[in-house]
Coordinates of all heavy atoms in Angstrom, one line a residue:
M1 N 30.6 -9.9 1.2 CA 30.5 -9.5 -0.2 C 29.3 -10.2 -0.9 O 28.6 -9.6 -1.7 CB 31.8 -9.9 -0.9 CG 31.9 -9.4 -2.2 SD 32.1 -7.6 -2.2 CE 33.0 -7.3 -3.7
L2 N 29.0 -11.4 -0.6 CA 27.8 -12.0 -1.2 C 26.6 -11.4 -0.8 O 25.7 -11.3 -1.7 CB 27.8 -13.5 -0.8 CG 28.9 -14.4 -1.4 CD1 28.8 -15.8 -0.8 CD2 28.8 -14.5 -2.9
A3 N 26.4 -10.9 0.4 CA 25.2 -10.2 0.8 C 24.9 -9.0 -0.1 O 23.7 -8.7 -0.3 CB 25.3 -9.8 2.2
A4 N 25.9 -8.4 -0.6 CA 25.7 -7.2 -1.4 C 25.1 -7.5 -2.7 O 24.4 -6.7 -3.3 CB 27.1 -6.5 -1.7
F5 N 25.2 -8.8 -3.1 CA 24.7 -9.2 -4.4 C 23.3 -9.9 -4.3 O 22.7 -10.2 -5.3 CB 25.6 -10.1 -5.2 CG 26.9 -9.4 -5.6 CD1 28.1 -9.5 -4.9 CD2 26.9 -8.5 -6.7 CE1 29.2 -8.8 -5.3 CE2 28.0 -7.8 -7.0 CZ 29.2 -8.0 -6.3
S6 N 22.9 -10.2 -3.1 CA 21.6 -10.9 -2.9 C 20.4 -9.9 -3.1 O 20.6 -8.8 -2.6 CB 21.6 -11.6 -1.6 OG 21.5 -10.7 -0.6
L7 N 19.4 -10.4 -3.7 CA 18.2 -9.5 -3.9 C 17.1 -10.1 -3.0 O 16.9 -11.3 -3.0 CB 17.8 -9.5 -5.4 CG 18.8 -8.9 -6.3 CD1 18.3 -9.1 -7.8 CD2 19.0 -7.4 -6.0
S8 N 16.3 -9.2 -2.5 CA 15.2 -9.6 -1.7 C 14.0 -9.9 -2.7 O 14.1 -9.5 -3.8 CB 14.7 -8.5 -0.7 OG 14.1 -7.4 -1.5
A9 N 13.0 -10.6 -2.2 CA 11.9 -10.9 -3.0 C 11.2 -9.6 -3.5 O 10.7 -9.5 -4.6 CB 10.9 -11.8 -2.2
T10 N 11.2 -8.6 -2.6 CA 10.6 -7.3 -3.0 C 11.3 -6.7 -4.1 O 10.6 -6.2 -5.0 CB 10.6 -6.4 -1.7 OG1 10.0 -7.0 -0.7 CG2 10.0 -5.1 -2.1
A11 N 12.6 -6.8 -4.2 CA 13.4 -6.2 -5.3 C 13.1 -6.9 -6.6 O 13.2 -6.3 -7.6 CB 14.8 -6.2 -4.9
Q12 N 12.7 -8.1 -6.5 CA 12.4 -8.9 -7.7 C 11.0 -8.8 -8.2 O 10.7 -9.2 -9.4 CB 12.8 -10.4 -7.5 CG 14.3 -10.5 -7.2 CD 14.6 -12.0 -6.8 OE1 13.7 -12.8 -6.7 NE2 15.8 -12.2 -6.4
V13 N 10.1 -8.4 -7.4 CA 8.7 -8.3 -7.8 C 8.2 -6.9 -7.8 O 8.4 -6.2 -6.9 CB 7.8 -9.2 -6.8 CG1 6.3 -9.1 -7.2 CG2 8.3 -10.6 -6.7
A14 N 7.6 -6.5 -8.9 CA 7.1 -5.1 -9.0 C 5.9 -4.9 -8.0 O 5.2 -5.8 -7.8 CB 6.5 -4.9 -10.5
P15 N 5.9 -3.7 -7.5 CA 4.8 -3.5 -6.4 C 3.4 -3.7 -6.9 O 2.6 -4.2 -6.1 CB 5.0 -2.0 -6.1 CG 6.5 -1.8 -6.4 CD 6.8 -2.6 -7.6
E16 N 3.1 -3.4 -8.2 CA 1.7 -3.7 -8.6 C 1.5 -5.2 -8.7 O 0.4 -5.7 -8.3 CB 1.5 -3.1 -10.0 CG 0.1 -3.3 -10.5 CD -0.3 -2.5 -11.8 OE1 0.5 -1.7 -12.3 OE2 -1.4 -2.8 -12.2
A17 N 2.5 -6.0 -9.0 CA 2.3 -7.4 -8.9 C 2.1 -7.9 -7.5 O 1.4 -8.8 -7.2 CB 3.6 -8.1 -9.6
L18 N 2.9 -7.3 -6.6 CA 2.6 -7.6 -5.1 C 1.2 -7.3 -4.7 O 0.6 -8.0 -4.0 CB 3.6 -6.7 -4.3 CG 5.0 -7.2 -4.1 CD1 5.8 -6.2 -3.3 CD2 5.1 -8.6 -3.4
A19 N 0.7 -6.1 -5.2 CA -0.7 -5.8 -4.9 C -1.7 -6.8 -5.4 O -2.6 -7.2 -4.7 CB -1.0 -4.4 -5.4
R20 N -1.5 -7.2 -6.6 CA -2.3 -8.2 -7.2 C -2.2 -9.6 -6.4 O -3.2 -10.2 -6.1 CB -2.1 -8.4 -8.6 CG -2.5 -7.2 -9.5 CD -2.3 -7.4 -10.9 NE -2.5 -6.1 -11.6 CZ -3.7 -5.5 -11.8 NH1 -4.8 -6.0 -11.3 NH2 -3.8 -4.4 -12.5
K21 N -0.9 -10.0 -6.1 CA -0.7 -11.3 -5.5 C -1.3 -11.3 -4.1 O -1.8 -12.3 -3.7 CB 0.8 -11.4 -5.4 CG 1.3 -12.6 -4.6 CD 2.8 -12.6 -4.4 CE 3.2 -13.4 -3.1 NZ 4.4 -13.0 -2.6
N22 N -1.3 -10.2 -3.4 CA -1.8 -10.2 -2.0 C -3.3 -9.8 -1.9 O -3.8 -9.6 -0.8 CB -0.9 -9.2 -1.2 CG 0.4 -9.9 -0.9 OD1 0.5 -10.9 -0.2 ND2 1.4 -9.3 -1.5
G23 N -3.9 -9.7 -3.1 CA -5.4 -9.4 -3.0 C -5.8 -8.0 -2.8 O -7.0 -7.7 -2.6
C24 N -4.8 -7.0 -2.9 CA -5.2 -5.6 -2.7 C -6.2 -5.1 -3.7 O -7.1 -4.3 -3.3 CB -3.9 -4.8 -2.7 SG -2.6 -5.3 -1.6
M25 N -6.1 -5.6 -4.9 CA -7.0 -5.1 -5.9 C -8.4 -5.6 -5.8 O -9.3 -5.1 -6.5 CB -6.5 -5.5 -7.3 CG -5.0 -5.1 -7.6 SD -4.8 -3.4 -7.4 CE -4.0 -3.1 -8.9
A26 N -8.7 -6.5 -4.9 CA -10.0 -7.0 -4.6 C -10.8 -5.9 -3.9 O -12.1 -5.8 -4.1 CB -10.0 -8.2 -3.7
C27 N -10.2 -5.0 -3.2 CA -10.9 -3.9 -2.5 C -10.5 -2.5 -2.9 O -11.3 -1.6 -2.7 CB -10.6 -4.0 -1.0 SG -11.3 -5.5 -0.2
H28 N -9.3 -2.3 -3.6 CA -8.9 -1.0 -4.0 C -8.7 -1.0 -5.5 O -8.1 -1.9 -6.1 CB -7.5 -0.7 -3.4 CG -7.5 -0.7 -1.9 ND1 -7.9 0.4 -1.1 CD2 -7.2 -1.7 -0.9 CE1 -7.8 0.1 0.2 NE2 -7.3 -1.1 0.3
G29 N -9.2 0.1 -6.0 CA -9.0 0.4 -7.4 C -7.7 1.2 -7.6 O -7.2 1.8 -6.6
L30 N -7.2 1.3 -8.8 CA -6.0 2.2 -9.0 C -6.3 3.6 -8.8 O -5.6 4.4 -8.2 CB -5.4 1.9 -10.4 CG -4.7 0.6 -10.6 CD1 -4.3 0.5 -12.0 CD2 -3.4 0.5 -9.7
V31 N -7.5 4.0 -9.2 CA -7.9 5.4 -9.1 C -9.1 5.7 -8.2 O -9.0 6.4 -7.3 CB -8.2 6.0 -10.5 CG1 -8.7 7.4 -10.4 CG2 -7.0 5.9 -11.4
H32 N -10.1 4.9 -8.4 CA -11.4 5.2 -7.7 C -11.7 4.1 -6.6 O -11.2 3.0 -6.6 CB -12.6 5.2 -8.7 CG -12.4 6.3 -9.7 ND1 -12.4 7.6 -9.4 CD2 -12.1 6.2 -11.0 CE1 -12.2 8.3 -10.5 NE2 -12.0 7.5 -11.5
K33 N -12.6 4.5 -5.7 CA -13.0 3.7 -4.6 C -13.7 2.4 -5.2 O -14.5 2.5 -6.0 CB -13.9 4.4 -3.6 CG -14.4 3.6 -2.5 CD -15.4 4.4 -1.6 CE -15.9 3.4 -0.6 NZ -16.8 4.1 0.4
Q34 N -13.4 1.3 -4.5 CA -14.2 0.1 -4.7 C -14.8 -0.2 -3.4 O -15.8 0.5 -3.0 CB -13.3 -1.1 -5.2 CG -12.9 -0.9 -6.7 CD -12.0 -2.0 -7.2 OE1 -11.5 -1.9 -8.2 NE2 -11.8 -3.1 -6.5
V35 N -14.3 -1.1 -2.6 CA -14.7 -1.2 -1.2 C -13.9 -0.2 -0.4 O -14.5 0.5 0.5 CB -14.3 -2.7 -0.7 CG1 -14.6 -2.8 0.8 CG2 -15.1 -3.7 -1.5
G36 N -12.6 -0.1 -0.6 CA -11.8 0.9 0.1 C -11.4 1.9 -0.9 O -11.7 1.8 -2.1
P37 N -10.7 2.9 -0.5 CA -10.3 4.1 -1.4 C -9.4 3.6 -2.5 O -8.6 2.6 -2.3 CB -9.6 5.0 -0.5 CG -9.1 4.2 0.6 CD -10.1 3.1 0.8
G38 N -9.4 4.3 -3.7 CA -8.5 4.0 -4.7 C -7.1 4.4 -4.3 O -6.9 5.3 -3.4
F39 N -6.1 3.7 -4.9 CA -4.7 4.1 -4.5 C -4.4 5.5 -4.8 O -3.6 6.2 -4.1 CB -3.7 3.1 -5.3 CG -3.9 1.7 -4.9 CD1 -3.9 0.7 -5.8 CD2 -4.0 1.4 -3.5 CE1 -4.0 -0.6 -5.4 CE2 -4.1 0.0 -3.1 CZ -4.1 -1.0 -4.1
A40 N -4.9 6.1 -5.9 CA -4.7 7.5 -6.3 C -5.3 8.4 -5.2 O -4.7 9.4 -4.8 CB -5.2 7.8 -7.6
Q41 N -6.4 8.0 -4.6 CA -7.0 8.8 -3.5 C -6.2 8.8 -2.3 O -6.1 9.8 -1.6 CB -8.4 8.2 -3.3 CG -9.4 8.4 -4.4 CD -10.7 7.7 -4.1 OE1 -10.7 6.5 -3.8 NE2 -11.8 8.4 -4.2
I42 N -5.6 7.6 -2.0 CA -4.7 7.5 -0.8 C -3.5 8.4 -1.0 O -3.2 9.2 -0.1 CB -4.4 6.0 -0.6 CG1 -5.6 5.2 -0.3 CG2 -3.3 5.9 0.5 CD1 -5.4 3.7 -0.3
A43 N -2.9 8.3 -2.2 CA -1.7 9.1 -2.5 C -2.0 10.6 -2.4 O -1.3 11.3 -1.8 CB -1.2 8.8 -3.9
Q44 N -3.2 11.0 -2.9 CA -3.6 12.4 -2.8 C -3.7 12.9 -1.4 O -3.2 14.0 -1.0 CB -4.9 12.7 -3.6 CG -5.2 14.1 -3.6 CD -6.5 14.3 -4.5 OE1 -7.3 13.4 -4.7 NE2 -6.6 15.5 -5.0
R45 N -4.4 12.1 -0.5 CA -4.5 12.5 0.9 C -3.2 12.6 1.6 O -3.1 13.5 2.5 CB -5.4 11.4 1.6 CG -5.6 11.8 3.1 CD -6.5 10.8 3.8 NE -7.9 11.1 3.5 CZ -8.9 10.5 4.2 NH1 -8.6 9.6 5.1 NH2 -10.1 10.8 3.9
Y46 N -2.3 11.7 1.3 CA -1.0 11.7 2.2 C 0.2 12.3 1.4 O 1.3 12.1 1.9 CB -0.7 10.3 2.6 CG -1.8 9.7 3.5 CD1 -2.7 8.7 3.1 CD2 -1.9 10.2 4.8 CE1 -3.6 8.2 3.9 CE2 -2.9 9.7 5.6 CZ -3.8 8.7 5.2 OH -4.7 8.2 6.0
R47 N 0.0 12.9 0.3 CA 1.1 13.4 -0.6 C 2.1 14.2 0.2 O 3.3 14.1 0.0 CB 0.6 14.2 -1.8 CG 1.6 14.3 -2.8 CD 1.1 14.7 -4.2 NE 0.0 13.9 -4.7 CZ 0.1 12.7 -5.3 NH1 1.3 12.1 -5.3 NH2 -0.9 12.1 -5.7
K48 N 1.7 15.0 1.1 CA 2.6 16.0 1.8 C 3.0 15.5 3.2 O 3.6 16.3 3.9 CB 2.0 17.4 1.8 CG 1.9 18.0 0.4 CD 1.3 19.4 0.5 CE 1.2 19.9 -1.0 NZ 0.5 21.2 -1.0
D49 N 2.7 14.2 3.5 CA 2.9 13.7 4.8 C 4.2 12.8 4.8 O 4.2 11.7 4.2 CB 1.7 12.9 5.2 CG 1.8 12.3 6.6 OD1 3.0 12.3 7.2 OD2 0.8 11.7 7.1
A50 N 5.3 13.3 5.3 CA 6.6 12.6 5.3 C 6.5 11.3 6.1 O 7.3 10.4 5.8 CB 7.7 13.5 5.9
E51 N 5.6 11.2 7.0 CA 5.5 9.9 7.8 C 4.6 8.9 7.2 O 4.4 7.8 7.7 CB 5.0 10.3 9.2 CG 5.8 11.4 9.8 CD 6.4 11.1 11.1 OE1 6.0 10.0 11.7 OE2 7.3 11.8 11.5
A52 N 3.9 9.2 6.1 CA 2.9 8.4 5.5 C 3.5 7.0 5.0 O 2.8 6.0 5.3 CB 2.3 9.1 4.3
P53 N 4.6 6.9 4.5 CA 5.1 5.6 4.0 C 5.1 4.5 5.2 O 4.6 3.4 5.1 CB 6.5 5.8 3.5 CG 6.4 7.2 3.0 CD 5.6 7.9 4.0
A54 N 5.7 4.9 6.3 CA 5.7 4.0 7.5 C 4.3 3.7 8.0 O 4.0 2.6 8.3 CB 6.6 4.6 8.6
R55 N 3.5 4.8 8.1 CA 2.1 4.6 8.7 C 1.3 3.7 7.8 O 0.6 2.8 8.2 CB 1.4 5.9 8.9 CG 1.8 6.5 10.2 CD 0.8 7.5 10.7 NE 0.0 8.2 9.7 CZ 0.3 9.3 9.0 NH1 1.4 10.0 9.4 NH2 -0.5 9.9 8.1
L56 N 1.4 3.9 6.4 CA 0.7 3.0 5.5 C 1.2 1.6 5.5 O 0.4 0.7 5.5 CB 0.7 3.6 4.1 CG -0.1 4.9 3.9 CD1 0.1 5.3 2.4 CD2 -1.5 4.7 4.2
A57 N 2.5 1.4 5.6 CA 3.0 0.0 5.7 C 2.5 -0.7 7.0 O 2.1 -1.9 6.9 CB 4.5 0.1 5.7
D58 N 2.4 0.1 8.1 CA 1.8 -0.5 9.3 C 0.3 -0.8 9.1 O -0.2 -1.9 9.5 CB 1.9 0.4 10.4 CG 3.4 0.6 11.0 OD1 4.2 -0.3 10.6 OD2 3.7 1.5 11.7
K59 N -0.4 0.1 8.4 CA -1.9 -0.2 8.2 C -2.1 -1.4 7.3 O -3.0 -2.1 7.4 CB -2.5 1.0 7.6 CG -2.7 2.1 8.6 CD -3.5 3.3 8.0 CE -3.7 4.4 9.0 NZ -4.8 5.2 8.7
I60 N -1.2 -1.6 6.3 CA -1.3 -2.8 5.4 C -1.2 -4.0 6.3 O -2.0 -4.9 6.2 CB -0.2 -2.7 4.4 CG1 -0.5 -1.6 3.4 CG2 -0.1 -4.1 3.7 CD1 0.7 -1.3 2.4
R61 N -0.2 -4.1 7.2 CA 0.0 -5.3 8.0 C -1.0 -5.4 9.2 O -1.4 -6.5 9.5 CB 1.4 -5.3 8.5 CG 2.4 -5.6 7.3 CD 3.8 -6.0 7.7 NE 3.9 -6.8 8.9 CZ 3.8 -8.1 9.1 NH1 3.5 -8.8 8.0 NH2 4.0 -8.6 10.2
D62 N -1.2 -4.3 9.8 CA -2.1 -4.3 11.0 C -3.6 -4.0 10.8 O -4.3 -4.2 11.8 CB -1.5 -3.3 12.1 CG -0.1 -3.5 12.4 OD1 0.4 -4.7 12.3 OD2 0.6 -2.6 12.8
G63 N -3.9 -3.5 9.7 CA -5.3 -3.2 9.4 C -5.7 -1.8 10.1 O -4.8 -1.2 10.8
S64 N -6.9 -1.4 9.8 CA -7.3 -0.1 10.4 C -8.8 0.0 10.1 O -9.4 -0.7 9.4 CB -6.6 1.1 9.8 OG -7.1 1.3 8.4
V65 N -9.4 1.0 10.9 CA -10.8 1.3 10.7 C -11.0 2.7 11.0 O -10.4 3.3 11.9 CB -11.7 0.4 11.6 CG1 -11.5 0.6 13.1 CG2 -13.2 0.5 11.3
G66 N -11.9 3.4 10.2 CA -12.3 4.8 10.5 C -11.5 5.8 9.8 O -11.9 7.0 9.8
T67 N -10.4 5.4 9.1 CA -9.7 6.4 8.3 C -10.4 6.9 7.1 O -10.4 8.1 6.8 CB -8.3 5.8 7.9 OG1 -7.6 5.3 9.0 CG2 -7.4 6.8 7.2
W68 N -11.2 6.0 6.5 CA -12.0 6.4 5.3 C -13.5 6.1 5.6 O -14.2 5.5 4.7 CB -11.5 5.6 4.2 CG -10.1 5.9 3.7 CD1 -8.9 5.3 4.3 CD2 -9.7 6.8 2.8 NE1 -7.8 5.9 3.7 CE2 -8.2 6.9 2.8 CE3 -10.3 7.7 1.9 CZ2 -7.5 7.7 1.9 CZ3 -9.6 8.5 1.1 CH2 -8.2 8.5 1.1
G69 N -13.9 6.5 6.7 CA -15.4 6.2 7.1 C -15.4 4.9 7.8 O -14.5 4.5 8.5
R70 N -16.5 4.2 7.6 CA -16.8 2.9 8.3 C -16.1 1.7 7.7 O -16.2 0.6 8.1 CB -18.3 2.7 8.3 CG -19.0 3.7 9.1 CD -20.4 3.4 9.1 NE -21.0 3.8 10.4 CZ -22.2 3.4 10.9 NH1 -22.9 2.5 10.2 NH2 -22.6 3.8 12.0
V71 N -15.3 1.9 6.6 CA -14.7 0.8 5.9 C -13.6 0.2 6.8 O -12.8 1.0 7.4 CB -14.1 1.3 4.6 CG1 -13.2 0.2 3.9 CG2 -15.1 1.8 3.7
I72 N -13.6 -1.1 6.9 CA -12.5 -1.8 7.7 C -11.4 -2.3 6.8 O -11.7 -2.9 5.8 CB -13.1 -3.0 8.5 CG1 -14.1 -2.4 9.5 CG2 -12.1 -3.8 9.1 CD1 -15.0 -3.5 10.2
M73 N -10.2 -2.0 7.1 CA -9.1 -2.5 6.3 C -8.6 -3.7 7.2 O -8.0 -3.5 8.3 CB -8.0 -1.5 6.2 CG -6.6 -2.0 5.8 SD -6.5 -2.4 4.1 CE -4.9 -3.0 4.0
P74 N -8.8 -5.0 6.8 CA -8.4 -6.1 7.6 C -6.9 -6.2 7.6 O -6.2 -5.8 6.7 CB -9.0 -7.3 6.8 CG -9.4 -6.8 5.5 CD -9.5 -5.4 5.5
R75 N -6.4 -6.9 8.6 CA -4.9 -7.2 8.8 C -4.5 -8.0 7.5 O -5.2 -8.9 7.1 CB -4.7 -7.9 10.0 CG -4.8 -7.2 11.3 CD -4.4 -8.0 12.5 NE -4.6 -7.2 13.6 CZ -5.6 -7.3 14.5 NH1 -6.5 -8.3 14.3 NH2 -5.6 -6.6 15.5
Q76 N -3.3 -7.7 7.1 CA -2.7 -8.5 5.9 C -1.4 -9.0 6.5 O -0.3 -8.6 6.0 CB -2.5 -7.6 4.8 CG -3.8 -6.9 4.3 CD -4.8 -7.9 3.8 OE1 -4.5 -8.8 3.1 NE2 -6.1 -7.7 4.2
T77 N -1.4 -9.9 7.5 CA -0.2 -10.4 8.1 C 0.6 -11.3 7.2 O 1.8 -11.5 7.4 CB -0.5 -11.2 9.4 OG1 -1.5 -12.2 9.1 CG2 -1.2 -10.3 10.4
Q78 N 0.0 -11.7 6.1 CA 0.8 -12.5 5.1 C 1.8 -11.6 4.3 O 2.7 -12.1 3.7 CB -0.1 -13.3 4.1 CG -0.6 -12.5 3.0 CD -1.8 -11.5 3.3 OE1 -2.2 -11.4 4.4 NE2 -2.3 -10.8 2.3
V79 N 1.6 -10.3 4.4 CA 2.5 -9.4 3.7 C 3.7 -9.1 4.6 O 3.5 -8.7 5.8 CB 1.8 -8.1 3.4 CG1 2.7 -7.1 2.7 CG2 0.6 -8.4 2.5
S80 N 4.9 -9.4 4.1 CA 6.1 -9.1 4.9 C 6.3 -7.6 5.2 O 5.8 -6.8 4.4 CB 7.3 -9.6 4.2 OG 7.6 -8.8 3.1
P81 N 7.0 -7.2 6.2 CA 7.2 -5.8 6.4 C 7.9 -5.1 5.2 O 7.6 -4.0 4.9 CB 8.1 -5.8 7.7 CG 7.8 -7.0 8.4 CD 7.5 -8.1 7.4
A82 N 8.8 -5.8 4.6 CA 9.5 -5.3 3.4 C 8.6 -5.1 2.3 O 8.6 -4.0 1.6 CB 10.7 -6.1 3.0
D83 N 7.7 -6.0 2.1 CA 6.7 -5.9 1.0 C 5.7 -4.8 1.3 O 5.2 -4.1 0.4 CB 6.0 -7.2 0.7 CG 6.8 -8.2 0.0 OD1 7.9 -7.9 -0.5 OD2 6.4 -9.4 -0.2
A84 N 5.3 -4.7 2.6 CA 4.4 -3.6 3.0 C 5.0 -2.2 2.7 O 4.3 -1.3 2.3 CB 4.0 -3.7 4.5
Q85 N 6.3 -2.1 2.9 CA 7.0 -0.8 2.7 C 7.0 -0.6 1.2 O 6.7 0.5 0.7 CB 8.4 -0.9 3.2 CG 8.6 -0.7 4.6 CD 8.3 0.8 5.0 OE1 8.6 1.7 4.3 NE2 7.8 1.0 6.2
A86 N 7.3 -1.6 0.4 CA 7.3 -1.4 -1.1 C 5.9 -1.1 -1.6 O 5.7 -0.2 -2.4 CB 7.8 -2.7 -1.8
L87 N 4.8 -1.7 -1.0 CA 3.4 -1.4 -1.4 C 3.1 0.0 -1.0 O 2.5 0.8 -1.8 CB 2.5 -2.4 -0.8 CG 2.5 -3.7 -1.4 CD1 1.7 -4.8 -0.5 CD2 1.8 -3.7 -2.8
A88 N 3.5 0.4 0.2 CA 3.2 1.8 0.6 C 3.8 2.8 -0.3 O 3.1 3.8 -0.7 CB 3.6 2.0 2.1
H89 N 5.1 2.7 -0.6 CA 5.7 3.6 -1.5 C 5.1 3.7 -2.8 O 4.9 4.7 -3.5 CB 7.2 3.3 -1.6 CG 8.0 3.7 -0.4 ND1 8.3 5.0 -0.1 CD2 8.4 3.0 0.7 CE1 9.0 5.1 1.0 NE2 9.1 3.9 1.6
W90 N 4.7 2.5 -3.4 CA 4.1 2.4 -4.6 C 2.7 3.1 -4.6 O 2.4 3.9 -5.5 CB 3.9 1.0 -5.1 CG 3.2 0.8 -6.4 CD1 3.6 1.1 -7.6 CD2 1.9 0.3 -6.5 NE1 2.6 0.9 -8.6 CE2 1.6 0.4 -7.9 CE3 0.9 -0.1 -5.7 CZ2 0.3 0.0 -8.4 CZ3 -0.3 -0.6 -6.2 CH2 -0.6 -0.5 -7.5
V91 N 1.9 2.9 -3.6 CA 0.6 3.5 -3.5 C 0.8 5.0 -3.4 O 0.1 5.8 -4.2 CB -0.2 3.0 -2.2 CG1 -1.4 3.9 -1.9 CG2 -0.6 1.6 -2.4
L92 N 1.7 5.5 -2.7 CA 2.0 6.9 -2.5 C 2.5 7.6 -3.8 O 2.5 8.8 -3.9 CB 2.9 7.2 -1.3 CG 2.2 6.9 0.0 CD1 3.2 6.9 1.1 CD2 1.1 7.8 0.3
S93 N 3.0 6.8 -4.7 CA 3.6 7.3 -5.9 C 2.5 7.5 -7.0 O 2.9 8.0 -8.1 CB 4.7 6.4 -6.5 OG 4.2 5.2 -7.1
Q94 N 1.3 7.1 -6.8 CA 0.2 7.2 -7.8 C -0.1 8.6 -8.1 O -0.2 9.4 -7.2 CB -1.0 6.4 -7.3 CG -0.7 4.9 -7.1 CD -0.2 4.2 -8.3 OE1 -0.8 4.2 -9.4 NE2 1.0 3.6 -8.1
P95 N -0.4 8.9 -9.3 CA -0.8 10.3 -9.6 C -2.2 10.6 -9.1 O -3.0 9.7 -8.8 CB -0.8 10.3 -11.2 CG -1.0 8.9 -11.6 CD -0.4 8.0 -10.5
S96 N -2.4 11.9 -8.9 CA -3.7 12.4 -8.4 C -4.8 11.9 -9.3 O -4.7 12.0 -10.5 CB -3.8 13.9 -8.2 OG -2.8 14.2 -7.2
P97 N -6.0 11.6 -8.7 CA -7.1 11.2 -9.6 C -7.6 12.4 -10.4 O -7.6 13.5 -9.9 CB -8.2 10.7 -8.6 CG -7.8 11.3 -7.3 CD -6.4 11.5 -7.3
G98 N -7.9 12.1 -11.7 CA -8.4 13.1 -12.6 C -9.1 14.2 -12.0 O -9.4 15.3 -12.2

């Protein structure tokens, strides 16, 4: 019964705050490309992809290269799997860029 009332750290921290805390905003803008693509650009590319949340969560933790050209997404192993899922869902919820 107590487990039903416990909240994870992810449930207590808004995804945008997680993005700021983990340095995501150093490379990604909300809308437009900085070093890497803007979150709205990512959402637009994967909007109709049902598997995108899991793949993006994996890319957050494991890194990637070549998806957006020569830009390297470094591993973010300090991000927990649960936080990576929350971030992926938040990124995919962004509106399309103007």
Side-chain angles (χ1 to χ4, degrees):
M1 188 69 152
L2 290 175
F5 292 103
S6 68
L7 294 175
S8 71
T10 302
Q12 296 173 2
V13 179
E16 186 171 352
L18 278 175
R20 292 186 189 287
K21 173 186 154 204
N22 287 294
C24 304
M25 305 303 233
C27 293
H28 299 277
L30 286 173
V31 178
H32 301 291
K33 178 181 177 177
Q34 288 180 187
V35 174
F39 296 136
Q41 293 172 307
I42 296 168
Q44 184 175 22
R45 178 179 279 190
Y46 296 109
R47 193 161 314 282
K48 295 180 182 179
D49 182 349
E51 310 236 346
R55 276 202 333 269
L56 289 179
D58 287 345
K59 285 184 181 205
I60 290 168
R61 290 193 32 86
D62 299 336
S64 72
V65 64
T67 305
W68 296 86
R70 294 179 147 198
V71 176
I72 297 171
M73 166 76 180
R75 289 184 179 104
Q76 303 297 317
T77 55
Q78 81 282 3
V79 177
S80 72
D83 285 352
Q85 282 288 327
L87 286 166
H89 283 282
W90 176 72
V91 168
L92 292 169
S93 74
Q94 300 304 303
S96 294

